[in-house]
Amino acid sequence: DYERINLRICSWNAAAQSPFDCSDDIARKWLGLNDGLEDLLVISLQEIVDLNARSFISSGTVSNTNQSQSALDQWIRFIQRLLPREYKLVHSSAMIGLGLILFCRDVIKGTLSSISDDAVKTGLGGLHGNKGGLVWRSFIYDCPVAFVACHLAAGQSAVNERNNDTATILRTATLSEASESRKDPFAFETGNTGTRLFDHSVIFIAGDLNYRIEMDRQECLNKIFEGNLGELQEKDQLNLQMKRKDLLLSRFKETEGSPKFLPTYKYERGTIDRFDSSEKARVPAWCDRILFYAKKKEIVQMRGYESIPEATLSDHKPIFAVFELKCRRKKK
């Protein structure tokens, strides 16, 4: 038998801003509280604290980690204040600047099992948690699903570094052996026990992947103002990398034709549509993305994928995607 589960994945690079400076209307739209309730709510946050080099030099790893946990706790309190009581917090984890939060409705909480999590650092050659991924896994009914919140290497030209970050997270994340694999020989591929990400039926990636658009800034702005997103997508670094069969990224999908919304980076904070006018004059880009992998394509159906352009808290726009999961369930 199969059960259909609705889930919403939200991602936002918060630029070290307090969530309590975000309007409730923006937050409710991002979390989908005006659209009917999803069964599972997954939230990936990046830069919940300031990641500039000076902060790393002036305070140690423990201090930075504690600061990030404190910032994540603020986000949890902010979100819990808005959520209906039927949502329960089932997981939260933090790395330096990176956070992963999961809520689920009471109606499916009892279906979660074999829960495990991990953190993979990729910053400074794997020594620092300013970049990397947070991983959480659970069976939903009898379907093993994994979520990855990540923040990859920055910079217009750092494509290979981003590819390496992704590969490191996907290859080295290590989860505990799933108890369900001992009960059900078909839980994973023969012989697997759920310790690796690609053991799972479904994997979601959400975060600031930092892939840019390979185009002159003024030309990019012209295309945006003309509404010509198709040409921008052809120059989008992530689209190009996902076509490379030698990369693990090629196993993932985003949407048919990639994002239909405007680039989510980089805006002047406090503005709806004014792109970066600093000396660095960064090229607009779809840094913020949500990807998914499914062993069988019929398991996952994407129902929506949008940004919230009217959000002005950060220099990034928040994004969200809504999915329907077809979860296997033992017959009663």
Side-chain angles (χ1 to χ4, degrees):
D1 291 339
Y2 291 89
E3 294 285 346
R4 297 188 184 275
I5 298 298
N6 295 312
L7 69 95
R8 188 182 193 94
I9 301 180
C10 303
S11 180
W12 200 353
N13 182 316
Q17 303 304 306
S18 167
F20 292 99
D21 291 333
C22 175
S23 77
D24 286 359
D25 287 345
I26 293 294
R28 290 181 65 84
K29 183 174 181 179
W30 183 50
L31 299 170
L33 302 183
N34 303 326
D35 304 327
L37 304 181
E38 272 77 44
D39 299 306
L40 191 63
L41 181 60
V42 183
I43 300 160
S44 170
L45 293 162
Q46 311 87 50
E47 292 194 41
I48 54 176
V49 296
D50 191 353
L51 296 182
N52 67 63
R54 184 177 297 175
S55 71
F56 290 141
I57 294 170
S58 63
S59 58
T61 300
V62 172
S63 175
N64 279 317
T65 302
N66 290 342
Q67 186 183 6
S68 294
Q69 185 60 58
S70 177
L72 188 67
D73 290 342
Q74 277 198 21
W75 277 94
I76 292 171
R77 289 196 299 272
F78 174 73
I79 293 167
Q80 281 180 320
R81 182 177 58 86
L82 298 172
L83 291 179
R85 289 186 178 181
E86 64 184 286
Y87 277 102
K88 299 296 186 291
L89 179 68
V90 293
H91 174 78
S92 69
S93 55
M95 209 156 55
I96 297 174
L98 182 64
L100 175 61
I101 307 168
L102 289 102
F103 291 92
C104 78
R105 296 174 69 192
D106 288 333
V107 69
I108 71 153
K109 189 177 180 185
T111 74
L112 306 181
S113 63
S114 292
I115 291 171
S116 182
D117 65 280
D118 194 19
V120 180
K121 299 176 182 178
T122 61
L124 301 178
L127 299 175
H128 214 295
N130 63 315
K131 295 292 189 293
L134 294 168
V135 179
W136 184 83
R137 182 278 310 289
S138 177
F139 274 68
I140 306 176
Y141 291 103
D142 298 308
C143 182
V145 182
F147 301 92
V148 180
C150 62
H151 194 183
L152 306 184
Q156 183 76 20
S157 61
V159 177
N160 289 335
E161 289 87 342
R162 290 188 272 278
N163 291 346
N164 291 337
D165 284 355
T166 306
T168 298
I169 295 165
L170 293 173
R171 286 195 177 112
T172 67
T174 305
L175 300 162
S176 61
E177 181 178 309
S179 58
E180 296 300 313
S181 66
R182 293 191 291 273
K183 302 175 186 175
D184 180 359
F186 301 103
F188 300 108
E189 291 181 358
T190 304
N192 294 351
T193 57
T195 58
R196 299 298 180 187
L197 276 173
F198 282 105
D199 291 350
H200 296 77
S201 298
V202 187
I203 307 169
F204 294 96
I205 297 176
D208 181 356
L209 307 193
N210 252 321
Y211 287 94
R212 309 303 174 92
I213 294 172
E214 296 282 4
M215 189 176 283
D216 171 78
R217 181 176 186 273
Q218 190 55 54
E219 184 182 3
C220 183
L221 289 172
N222 290 342
K223 300 297 181 187
I224 291 171
F225 297 143
E226 293 166 5
N228 189 351
L229 300 185
E231 289 192 36
L232 298 183
Q233 290 166 359
E234 291 175 4
K235 300 291 185 179
D236 174 65
Q237 291 174 348
L238 180 59
N239 283 347
L240 296 171
Q241 299 310 299
M242 289 173 73
K243 293 175 182 177
R244 289 180 51 182
K245 298 302 182 184
D246 60 319
L247 298 180
L248 291 177
L249 276 171
S250 66
R251 301 188 188 185
F252 287 81
K253 290 184 64 177
E254 186 172 23
T255 58
E256 300 300 334
S258 297
K260 301 296 190 297
F261 46 81
L262 293 178
T264 55
Y265 170 89
K266 176 180 177 28
Y267 292 82
E268 299 282 351
R269 279 195 56 233
T271 72
I272 292 176
D273 56 5
R274 190 187 310 157
F275 287 98
D276 181 28
S277 61
S278 71
E279 289 183 7
K280 292 185 178 180
R282 296 169 182 85
V283 180
W286 286 290
C287 289
D288 310 281
R289 312 291 275 266
I290 296 171
L291 312 178
F292 65 95
Y293 156 88
K295 276 188 168 27
K296 297 180 180 178
K297 64 180 182 180
E298 65 269 17
I299 296 176
V300 182
Q301 294 292 324
M302 179 177 273
R303 301 301 188 196
Y305 186 32
E306 298 180 35
S307 71
I308 304 179
E310 58 269 33
T312 61
L313 180 73
S314 166
D315 55 349
H316 291 247
K317 302 299 184 183
I319 63 171
F320 65 88
V322 180
F323 297 91
E324 182 182 87
L325 286 185
K326 186 179 178 183
C327 297
R328 202 163 58 91
R329 179 180 186 177
K330 296 182 186 72
K331 289 186 177 181
K332 295 179 180 179

Short mmCIF file of all heavy atoms in Angstrom, two decimals, residues 229-271:
data_model
loop_
_atom_site.label_atom_id
_atom_site.label_comp_id
_atom_site.label_asym_id
_atom_site.label_seq_id
_atom_site.Cartn_x
_atom_site.Cartn_y
_atom_site.Cartn_z
N LEU A 229 14.25 35.01 -18.88
CA LEU A 229 14.96 34.12 -17.96
C LEU A 229 15.56 32.91 -18.67
O LEU A 229 16.50 32.30 -18.16
CB LEU A 229 14.01 33.66 -16.85
CG LEU A 229 13.39 34.75 -15.97
CD1 LEU A 229 12.58 34.12 -14.85
CD2 LEU A 229 14.45 35.69 -15.42
N GLY A 230 15.02 32.56 -19.83
CA GLY A 230 15.51 31.39 -20.56
C GLY A 230 16.98 31.50 -20.88
O GLY A 230 17.74 30.53 -20.71
N GLU A 231 17.43 32.67 -21.35
CA GLU A 231 18.85 32.83 -21.68
C GLU A 231 19.72 32.81 -20.43
O GLU A 231 20.86 32.35 -20.47
CB GLU A 231 19.06 34.14 -22.46
CG GLU A 231 18.50 34.08 -23.87
CD GLU A 231 18.97 35.26 -24.72
OE1 GLU A 231 20.12 35.70 -24.55
OE2 GLU A 231 18.17 35.73 -25.54
N LEU A 232 19.17 33.29 -19.31
CA LEU A 232 19.93 33.22 -18.06
C LEU A 232 20.10 31.76 -17.61
O LEU A 232 21.16 31.37 -17.14
CB LEU A 232 19.23 34.02 -16.96
CG LEU A 232 19.06 35.51 -17.18
CD1 LEU A 232 18.42 36.15 -15.95
CD2 LEU A 232 20.40 36.19 -17.47
N GLN A 233 19.04 30.97 -17.77
CA GLN A 233 19.11 29.57 -17.37
C GLN A 233 20.14 28.80 -18.20
O GLN A 233 20.78 27.87 -17.69
CB GLN A 233 17.74 28.93 -17.48
CG GLN A 233 16.76 29.44 -16.43
CD GLN A 233 15.32 29.09 -16.72
OE1 GLN A 233 15.02 28.47 -17.74
NE2 GLN A 233 14.42 29.50 -15.85
N GLU A 234 20.30 29.19 -19.46
CA GLU A 234 21.30 28.54 -20.30
C GLU A 234 22.72 28.81 -19.81
O GLU A 234 23.64 28.02 -20.08
CB GLU A 234 21.16 29.03 -21.75
CG GLU A 234 19.89 28.55 -22.43
CD GLU A 234 19.73 29.15 -23.82
OE1 GLU A 234 20.65 29.87 -24.26
OE2 GLU A 234 18.68 28.90 -24.45
N LYS A 235 22.91 29.91 -19.08
CA LYS A 235 24.22 30.29 -18.56
C LYS A 235 24.35 30.00 -17.07
O LYS A 235 25.35 30.36 -16.45
CB LYS A 235 24.47 31.78 -18.80
CG LYS A 235 24.43 32.21 -20.26
CD LYS A 235 25.62 31.65 -21.03
CE LYS A 235 25.64 32.19 -22.46
NZ LYS A 235 26.81 31.68 -23.22
N ASP A 236 23.34 29.36 -16.51
CA ASP A 236 23.35 29.06 -15.08
C ASP A 236 24.33 27.92 -14.80
O ASP A 236 24.23 26.84 -15.37
CB ASP A 236 21.94 28.67 -14.64
CG ASP A 236 21.89 28.21 -13.21
OD1 ASP A 236 22.16 29.03 -12.32
OD2 ASP A 236 21.59 27.02 -12.97
N GLN A 237 25.27 28.17 -13.89
CA GLN A 237 26.31 27.19 -13.61
C GLN A 237 25.74 25.86 -13.11
O GLN A 237 26.23 24.79 -13.50
CB GLN A 237 27.30 27.74 -12.58
CG GLN A 237 28.15 28.88 -13.09
CD GLN A 237 29.01 29.49 -11.99
OE1 GLN A 237 28.82 29.22 -10.80
NE2 GLN A 237 29.98 30.32 -12.37
N LEU A 238 24.73 25.91 -12.26
CA LEU A 238 24.18 24.66 -11.73
C LEU A 238 23.54 23.83 -12.83
O LEU A 238 23.74 22.61 -12.89
CB LEU A 238 23.17 24.95 -10.62
CG LEU A 238 22.52 23.72 -9.98
CD1 LEU A 238 23.56 22.79 -9.38
CD2 LEU A 238 21.49 24.12 -8.93
N ASN A 239 22.77 24.47 -13.70
CA ASN A 239 22.18 23.74 -14.82
C ASN A 239 23.26 23.03 -15.63
O ASN A 239 23.10 21.88 -16.03
CB ASN A 239 21.40 24.69 -15.73
CG ASN A 239 20.05 25.07 -15.17
OD1 ASN A 239 19.57 24.46 -14.22
ND2 ASN A 239 19.43 26.09 -15.75
N LEU A 240 24.34 23.74 -15.90
CA LEU A 240 25.43 23.18 -16.70
C LEU A 240 26.10 22.02 -15.98
O LEU A 240 26.45 21.00 -16.59
CB LEU A 240 26.45 24.27 -17.03
CG LEU A 240 25.92 25.41 -17.92
CD1 LEU A 240 26.94 26.54 -18.02
CD2 LEU A 240 25.57 24.90 -19.31
N GLN A 241 26.28 22.13 -14.66
CA GLN A 241 26.94 21.06 -13.91
C GLN A 241 26.05 19.83 -13.78
O GLN A 241 26.53 18.70 -13.78
CB GLN A 241 27.34 21.57 -12.52
CG GLN A 241 28.31 22.74 -12.52
CD GLN A 241 29.51 22.51 -13.41
OE1 GLN A 241 30.28 21.58 -13.20
NE2 GLN A 241 29.67 23.36 -14.43
N MET A 242 24.74 20.03 -13.69
CA MET A 242 23.83 18.90 -13.56
C MET A 242 23.74 18.07 -14.84
O MET A 242 23.24 16.94 -14.82
CB MET A 242 22.44 19.39 -13.15
CG MET A 242 22.40 19.90 -11.70
SD MET A 242 20.82 20.67 -11.24
CE MET A 242 19.75 19.23 -11.13
N LYS A 243 24.24 18.61 -15.93
CA LYS A 243 24.28 17.86 -17.19
C LYS A 243 25.54 17.01 -17.33
O LYS A 243 25.64 16.21 -18.26
CB LYS A 243 24.19 18.84 -18.37
CG LYS A 243 22.84 19.55 -18.47
CD LYS A 243 22.86 20.59 -19.58
CE LYS A 243 21.52 21.33 -19.63
NZ LYS A 243 21.51 22.40 -20.65
N ARG A 244 26.48 17.18 -16.42
CA ARG A 244 27.74 16.43 -16.48
C ARG A 244 27.56 15.07 -15.82
O ARG A 244 27.34 14.97 -14.61
CB ARG A 244 28.85 17.21 -15.78
CG ARG A 244 29.31 18.44 -16.51
CD ARG A 244 30.41 19.16 -15.74
NE ARG A 244 31.49 18.26 -15.35
CZ ARG A 244 32.55 18.64 -14.62
NH1 ARG A 244 32.66 19.91 -14.23
NH2 ARG A 244 33.48 17.77 -14.29
N LYS A 245 27.65 14.01 -16.59
CA LYS A 245 27.40 12.66 -16.09
C LYS A 245 28.47 12.20 -15.10
O LYS A 245 28.26 11.23 -14.36
CB LYS A 245 27.31 11.67 -17.25
CG LYS A 245 26.16 11.95 -18.21
CD LYS A 245 24.82 11.96 -17.50
CE LYS A 245 23.67 12.20 -18.46
NZ LYS A 245 22.36 12.31 -17.77
N ASP A 246 29.62 12.90 -15.07
CA ASP A 246 30.68 12.51 -14.14
C ASP A 246 30.48 13.07 -12.74
O ASP A 246 31.24 12.76 -11.83
CB ASP A 246 32.04 12.96 -14.67
CG ASP A 246 32.14 14.48 -14.86
OD1 ASP A 246 31.15 15.07 -15.34
OD2 ASP A 246 33.19 15.06 -14.53
N LEU A 247 29.44 13.88 -12.55
CA LEU A 247 29.17 14.48 -11.25
C LEU A 247 27.95 13.84 -10.59
O LEU A 247 26.97 13.50 -11.25
CB LEU A 247 28.93 15.99 -11.40
CG LEU A 247 30.08 16.83 -11.94
CD1 LEU A 247 29.65 18.30 -12.02
CD2 LEU A 247 31.34 16.69 -11.08
N LEU A 248 27.99 13.76 -9.26
CA LEU A 248 26.83 13.25 -8.53
C LEU A 248 25.62 14.15 -8.70
O LEU A 248 24.47 13.69 -8.60
CB LEU A 248 27.17 13.12 -7.04
CG LEU A 248 28.17 12.02 -6.67
CD1 LEU A 248 28.46 12.06 -5.17
CD2 LEU A 248 27.65 10.66 -7.06
N LEU A 249 25.85 15.43 -8.98
CA LEU A 249 24.75 16.36 -9.22
C LEU A 249 23.86 15.91 -10.37
O LEU A 249 22.68 16.25 -10.42
CB LEU A 249 25.30 17.76 -9.54
CG LEU A 249 25.65 18.65 -8.35
CD1 LEU A 249 26.39 19.89 -8.83
CD2 LEU A 249 24.41 19.04 -7.57
N SER A 250 24.41 15.13 -11.31
CA SER A 250 23.62 14.70 -12.47
C SER A 250 22.49 13.75 -12.06
O SER A 250 21.57 13.51 -12.84
CB SER A 250 24.52 14.03 -13.51
OG SER A 250 25.05 12.82 -13.01
N ARG A 251 22.55 13.20 -10.85
CA ARG A 251 21.49 12.30 -10.39
C ARG A 251 20.27 13.08 -9.89
O ARG A 251 19.21 12.49 -9.65
CB ARG A 251 22.01 11.40 -9.26
CG ARG A 251 23.20 10.54 -9.63
CD ARG A 251 23.49 9.55 -8.52
NE ARG A 251 24.73 8.83 -8.76
CZ ARG A 251 25.18 7.84 -7.99
NH1 ARG A 251 24.46 7.46 -6.93
NH2 ARG A 251 26.31 7.25 -8.25
N PHE A 252 20.43 14.38 -9.71
CA PHE A 252 19.37 15.19 -9.12
C PHE A 252 18.59 15.95 -10.17
O PHE A 252 19.06 16.21 -11.27
CB PHE A 252 19.97 16.18 -8.12
CG PHE A 252 20.42 15.54 -6.83
CD1 PHE A 252 21.65 14.90 -6.77
CD2 PHE A 252 19.62 15.55 -5.72
CE1 PHE A 252 22.08 14.28 -5.60
CE2 PHE A 252 20.02 14.94 -4.54
CZ PHE A 252 21.26 14.31 -4.49
N LYS A 253 17.36 16.30 -9.79
CA LYS A 253 16.50 17.15 -10.61
C LYS A 253 16.16 18.40 -9.82
O LYS A 253 16.25 18.43 -8.59
CB LYS A 253 15.21 16.42 -10.96
CG LYS A 253 15.35 15.26 -11.93
CD LYS A 253 13.99 14.68 -12.26
CE LYS A 253 13.11 15.68 -12.99
NZ LYS A 253 11.80 15.10 -13.39
N GLU A 254 15.76 19.43 -10.54
CA GLU A 254 15.23 20.62 -9.89
C GLU A 254 13.79 20.76 -10.34
O GLU A 254 12.87 20.31 -9.69
CB GLU A 254 16.07 21.84 -10.25
CG GLU A 254 15.66 23.09 -9.50
CD GLU A 254 16.64 24.24 -9.72
OE1 GLU A 254 17.36 24.25 -10.73
OE2 GLU A 254 16.65 25.14 -8.87
N THR A 255 13.57 21.38 -11.44
CA THR A 255 12.25 21.41 -12.06
C THR A 255 12.47 21.26 -13.55
O THR A 255 13.59 21.31 -14.04
CB THR A 255 11.54 22.77 -11.81
OG1 THR A 255 12.36 23.81 -12.33
CG2 THR A 255 11.29 23.00 -10.34
N GLU A 256 11.40 21.08 -14.28
CA GLU A 256 11.52 21.08 -15.73
C GLU A 256 11.76 22.52 -16.18
O GLU A 256 10.89 23.37 -16.06
CB GLU A 256 10.25 20.52 -16.37
CG GLU A 256 9.93 19.09 -15.96
CD GLU A 256 11.02 18.11 -16.32
OE1 GLU A 256 11.77 18.37 -17.28
OE2 GLU A 256 11.15 17.08 -15.62
N GLY A 257 12.96 22.81 -16.66
CA GLY A 257 13.25 24.16 -17.12
C GLY A 257 13.82 25.07 -16.04
O GLY A 257 14.02 26.25 -16.28
N SER A 258 14.10 24.52 -14.84
CA SER A 258 14.74 25.28 -13.76
C SER A 258 13.84 26.40 -13.23
O SER A 258 12.68 26.51 -13.61
CB SER A 258 16.09 25.80 -14.22
OG SER A 258 16.95 24.71 -14.51
N PRO A 259 14.37 27.27 -12.35
CA PRO A 259 13.48 28.23 -11.67
C PRO A 259 12.75 29.16 -12.63
O PRO A 259 13.31 29.65 -13.60
CB PRO A 259 14.45 29.03 -10.79
CG PRO A 259 15.62 28.16 -10.60
CD PRO A 259 15.75 27.37 -11.86
N LYS A 260 11.48 29.39 -12.32
CA LYS A 260 10.68 30.35 -13.08
C LYS A 260 10.66 31.72 -12.41
O LYS A 260 10.10 32.67 -12.94
CB LYS A 260 9.24 29.83 -13.24
CG LYS A 260 9.14 28.48 -13.93
CD LYS A 260 9.63 28.52 -15.37
CE LYS A 260 9.29 27.25 -16.13
NZ LYS A 260 9.94 26.04 -15.62
N PHE A 261 11.26 31.79 -11.22
CA PHE A 261 11.32 33.06 -10.51
C PHE A 261 12.63 33.79 -10.82
O PHE A 261 13.57 33.21 -11.36
CB PHE A 261 11.16 32.85 -9.00
CG PHE A 261 11.99 31.72 -8.42
CD1 PHE A 261 13.33 31.89 -8.11
CD2 PHE A 261 11.40 30.48 -8.18
CE1 PHE A 261 14.08 30.86 -7.57
CE2 PHE A 261 12.15 29.43 -7.63
CZ PHE A 261 13.50 29.63 -7.34
N LEU A 262 12.68 35.07 -10.45
CA LEU A 262 13.87 35.88 -10.71
C LEU A 262 15.05 35.39 -9.87
O LEU A 262 14.86 34.73 -8.84
CB LEU A 262 13.59 37.35 -10.36
CG LEU A 262 12.59 38.09 -11.24
CD1 LEU A 262 12.40 39.51 -10.71
CD2 LEU A 262 13.03 38.12 -12.69
N PRO A 263 16.28 35.69 -10.29
CA PRO A 263 17.43 35.35 -9.45
C PRO A 263 17.22 35.84 -8.02
O PRO A 263 16.64 36.91 -7.79
CB PRO A 263 18.58 36.08 -10.15
CG PRO A 263 18.19 36.08 -11.59
CD PRO A 263 16.69 36.29 -11.58
N THR A 264 17.70 35.07 -7.08
CA THR A 264 17.45 35.34 -5.66
C THR A 264 18.60 36.07 -4.97
O THR A 264 18.51 36.39 -3.78
CB THR A 264 17.21 34.02 -4.92
OG1 THR A 264 18.33 33.14 -5.14
CG2 THR A 264 15.94 33.34 -5.42
N TYR A 265 19.67 36.38 -5.71
CA TYR A 265 20.87 37.00 -5.16
C TYR A 265 21.44 37.93 -6.22
O TYR A 265 21.33 37.62 -7.41
CB TYR A 265 21.88 35.91 -4.80
CG TYR A 265 23.27 36.36 -4.43
CD1 TYR A 265 23.60 36.68 -3.12
CD2 TYR A 265 24.27 36.45 -5.40
CE1 TYR A 265 24.88 37.07 -2.78
CE2 TYR A 265 25.55 36.85 -5.07
CZ TYR A 265 25.85 37.16 -3.76
OH TYR A 265 27.12 37.55 -3.42
N LYS A 266 22.07 39.04 -5.95
CA LYS A 266 22.26 39.65 -4.65
C LYS A 266 21.54 40.99 -4.68
O LYS A 266 21.77 41.81 -5.58
CB LYS A 266 23.75 39.85 -4.36
CG LYS A 266 24.04 40.58 -3.06
CD LYS A 266 25.53 40.72 -2.88
CE LYS A 266 26.02 41.47 -1.69
NZ LYS A 266 25.49 41.67 -0.46
N TYR A 267 20.70 41.24 -3.67
CA TYR A 267 19.90 42.45 -3.59
C TYR A 267 20.45 43.40 -2.53
O TYR A 267 21.14 42.98 -1.60
CB TYR A 267 18.45 42.10 -3.24
CG TYR A 267 17.73 41.35 -4.34
CD1 TYR A 267 17.89 39.97 -4.49
CD2 TYR A 267 16.91 42.01 -5.25
CE1 TYR A 267 17.25 39.28 -5.51
CE2 TYR A 267 16.25 41.32 -6.26
CZ TYR A 267 16.43 39.96 -6.39
OH TYR A 267 15.80 39.28 -7.41
N GLU A 268 20.10 44.66 -2.68
CA GLU A 268 20.35 45.61 -1.61
C GLU A 268 19.38 45.29 -0.48
O GLU A 268 18.16 45.22 -0.71
CB GLU A 268 20.12 47.05 -2.08
CG GLU A 268 21.03 47.49 -3.22
CD GLU A 268 22.43 47.85 -2.76
OE1 GLU A 268 22.64 47.91 -1.52
OE2 GLU A 268 23.31 48.05 -3.60
N ARG A 269 19.90 45.07 0.71
CA ARG A 269 19.02 44.77 1.83
C ARG A 269 18.01 45.89 2.01
O ARG A 269 18.32 47.06 1.89
CB ARG A 269 19.83 44.60 3.12
CG ARG A 269 20.46 43.22 3.27
CD ARG A 269 20.92 43.00 4.70
NE ARG A 269 19.81 43.18 5.64
CZ ARG A 269 19.85 43.98 6.70
NH1 ARG A 269 20.93 44.69 6.97
NH2 ARG A 269 18.80 44.08 7.49
N GLY A 270 16.78 45.49 2.31
CA GLY A 270 15.71 46.47 2.51
C GLY A 270 14.98 46.85 1.24
O GLY A 270 14.06 47.65 1.27
N THR A 271 15.38 46.26 0.10
CA THR A 271 14.73 46.58 -1.18
C THR A 271 14.12 45.31 -1.78
O THR A 271 14.58 44.20 -1.53
CB THR A 271 15.71 47.18 -2.20
OG1 THR A 271 16.61 46.16 -2.68
CG2 THR A 271 16.52 48.31 -1.56
#
